[in-house]
Amino acid sequence: MHVLILGGTTEGRRLAELLHGRPGLAVTTSLAGRVASPRLPPGEVRVGGFGGTEALTAWLRERRIGALVDATHPFAATMSRHAARAAATAEVPLLALRRPGWTPGEGDDWHEAGSSEEAAALLPALGRRVFLTTGRMGLAAFAGLDDLWFLVRSVDPPEGPRPARAQTLLDRGPFTLDGERELLRRHRIDVVVTKDSGGAATAPKLTAAREAGLPVVVVRRPPLPAGVPVTPTPEAAAHWVTEQWSRTAG
């Protein structure tokens, strides 16, 4: 059985590792290609978009995909919608692999936003020096905040409109708590902006912000398409794939 993993996350890479080399399974991981030097999983890897729902449907049929796992970033809403529609049309079993989101703890000063635009609207009342960790995409939402200073952290250089007063920090997680503490102190950060990506790799900034008494603007995740089953761990996803293979083999 041929399995397609829509990857680009730590969980997707781990799932490929768990499935690679299993008898009776062929595994392909698809990466969007937005990161210049991605960490490649084992097995076959394709890079680049499919070109929409119809093209993905055709690809599933042509490659006779027996199981599809959406292990994209929690904010890759467009790809998740395409995956759900294509899987339904091609009659391919679909599972979403999503790490749990973050939850506020005692001492956290979180301000939830439904979008980057909502996050930008909250900032002037919260601080003047912003640690912006929403990635290199979508910075245009913050471009009009000329009175604020931004430290923008991303894996690759930002593209498109961005804040006028900004410094870019190119870095890739996982990050340490000591490193995040020093970063907030050195740049005199007084407010943090993040997407609810979840996971441990980038969570230390939340602890550092709590310790420093800083407000954090958290952009909520978009919902998954209706009816798509979801699991939080690569191990559970691997078990699901094995079940699909058993049904096919039987």
Side-chain angles (χ1 to χ4, degrees):
M1 186 182 74
H2 196 167
V3 181
L4 175 62
I5 301 171
L6 303 177
T9 58
T10 301
E11 291 75 21
R13 188 166 58 253
R14 176 57 180 158
L15 176 59
E17 293 171 352
L18 291 171
L19 298 178
H20 181 65
R22 289 194 182 185
L25 289 181
V27 180
T28 297
T29 299
S30 177
L31 304 177
R34 291 181 175 177
V35 177
S37 300
R39 296 169 178 168
L40 299 180
E44 181 182 352
V45 177
R46 70 175 301 280
V47 179
F50 288 92
T53 301
E54 292 183 2
L56 176 56
T57 302
W59 200 93
L60 295 176
R61 287 170 169 165
E62 291 168 3
R63 299 295 292 268
R64 302 181 65 181
I65 299 299
L68 174 61
V69 179
D70 174 11
T72 57
H73 191 276
F75 283 81
T78 299
M79 189 66 243
S80 292
R81 287 195 299 270
H82 290 172
R85 293 168 184 166
T89 303
E91 297 183 337
V92 174
L94 169 65
L95 177 73
L97 172 55
R98 288 291 186 276
R99 70 185 77 135
W102 292 316
T103 56
E106 184 177 354
D108 281 320
D109 180 15
W110 284 18
H111 303 258
E112 290 194 355
S115 65
S116 293
E117 288 74 18
E118 287 186 18
L122 293 173
L123 285 178
L126 295 174
R128 314 302 293 176
R129 296 181 66 82
V130 184
F131 183 26
L132 185 57
T133 66
T134 56
R136 68 189 181 99
M137 311 294 289
L139 296 182
F142 304 90
L145 300 175
D146 295 337
D147 293 336
L148 307 185
W149 180 89
F150 290 83
L151 176 64
V152 178
R153 183 165 69 189
S154 62
V155 176
D156 293 316
E159 298 177 353
R162 70 199 75 172
R165 301 175 60 213
Q167 176 180 333
T168 300
L169 174 62
L170 300 182
D171 203 356
R172 186 201 300 262
F175 302 105
T176 66
L177 179 55
D178 284 344
E180 300 293 66
R181 287 168 174 158
E182 172 60 20
L183 185 147
L184 297 181
R185 184 198 64 78
R186 184 171 67 252
H187 294 281
R188 295 180 288 116
I189 300 298
D190 56 16
V191 59
V192 177
V193 182
T194 183
K195 291 180 176 178
D196 181 17
S197 300
T202 60
K205 64 189 172 191
L206 302 176
T207 303
R210 181 193 311 133
E211 292 177 349
L214 303 183
V216 179
V217 178
V218 181
V219 181
R220 295 189 300 270
R221 296 179 176 189
L224 281 168
V228 176
V230 59
T231 189
T233 68
E235 290 74 17
H239 179 72
W240 178 86
V241 169
T242 300
E243 288 184 334
Q244 306 309 310
W245 177 84
S246 297
R247 294 171 185 171
T248 302

